[in-house]
Amino acid sequence: MEESELFQKWSELVTNDDQIDTSLYGKYDVKRGLRNANGTGVLVGLTRIGDVVGYDLKDGQKVAVPGRLMYRGYNVESLIKDAESHNQFGYEQCAYLLLFGKLPTQTELEEFSAFLGSKRNLPDNFTEDMIMKAPSNDIMNKLARGVLASYSYDRNPEDRSLQNVLRQCIELVSRFSTLAAYGYQAKRRYYDGKSMYIHNPQPNLSTAENFLRLIRSNTEYSDAEAKLLDIALILHAEHGGGNNSSLTIHVVSSADTDTYSAVGAAVGSLKGRRHGGANIRVMEMMDDIKEHVRDWSNEGEVRSYLLQIASKKAFDHTGLIYGMGHAVYTVNDPRASILRDHAGQLAAEKGLLEEFNLYKMIERLAPEILYELHGDGKRICANVDLYSGFVYSMLKIPRELFTPLFAVSRIAGWCAHRIEEIVAGGRIYRPAYKNVCEELDYIPIEKRV
């Protein structure tokens, strides 16, 4: 039997044997996906790091409220406004706040930023041995491997003391942008047949500036571009402990493993198309819309095509309008609102207002169309993915870097959650699964069919 036929046969065995009657989930009150019946998340832990607010609970019912994203008790909008008012890059202050639980003084911020800058270079021979000699077509895969390989370059990888874990975490926060950028350059060379540019990171530059510098052949970028990317990094740095990748780092850290294993697992989670890869699906959908809608300013034409998408008659036939809806946010996703407002400014500068207005029209029309089709009372709003891909495309960031860029930002939140688990956790995660397979009498091999 050919190998492909063998795996086809085995796949059918697994498919047939692993099916579970969906009615059993209700019978045993199983919280599928760790979700309650009303859509809220099952409460599995406590955190002081981040909070995602999109509704209030009154008598067990969700009441929609304007969305808020909180970092250590501070509204993320305040962090962005503070950075803008001082004409500073804000991601480094955001990372300090998430890791240490307090806003830094100017002296503390300068000290922390200088330390991050001093650690952006990868260890000696790492780039050649771990990136160039083993390139990957998927940069998230390369990023995860880079994190795990960092274990071998750490002088004390197994020390789980708080001081050592902090060192490892801060070094990862610093180096993630370099790992992602170099992984992209290797992919260009070995998979795309293009030139590869390995620039050295500059210690005096912010995370946003260094990332743009490392992915561009000429290392050039404008201050406006870097500042917009900085805002995107702030908005993606943390999103509460319940998102899949942050939960992953809590679960793996609770097993008392090393920092690189825990962070590598979180990268694997974020790679998933149901998690960090969503903004790429938005861009693919927008390509399809722009191809089929002749007049982007014609509301009737746009509405008609969105209705076809939502009715499973167009694009990928899933019925999903990507970039719409969120598990928590109801009235609005504050990240989407902030990105939209700032994206408009750059779109005007780059002559892309027609495309930007198309995004805004979709944000306005899609909730109406989905309500007309499905008629439920759940409020739908645009999520951050609707605008993040558009922002990255205006910054000339390749699509294969969209999800790695998410990781470059979220590493600060992941590390904060790992530290919190070490300090305040103390118990390995051990949820229960109900076995619904009946007990069988053993069949000797000569009697099997």
Side-chain angles (χ1 to χ4, degrees), residues 68-114:
R68 301 192 311 280
L69 175 57
M70 314 297 292
Y71 292 173
R72 296 287 191 174
Y74 296 100
N75 195 311
V76 71
E77 294 183 27
S78 300
L79 291 171
I80 292 172
K81 289 178 180 177
D82 179 66
E84 291 178 323
S85 67
H86 291 88
N87 194 30
Q88 292 178 329
F89 290 93
Y91 177 72
E92 286 68 32
Q93 174 174 240
C94 173
Y96 185 101
L97 172 64
L98 290 172
L99 288 170
F100 305 120
K102 67 181 288 289
L103 291 169
T105 64
Q106 186 62 39
T107 300
E108 290 170 335
L109 179 58
E110 290 172 359
E111 179 183 54
F112 181 67
S113 298

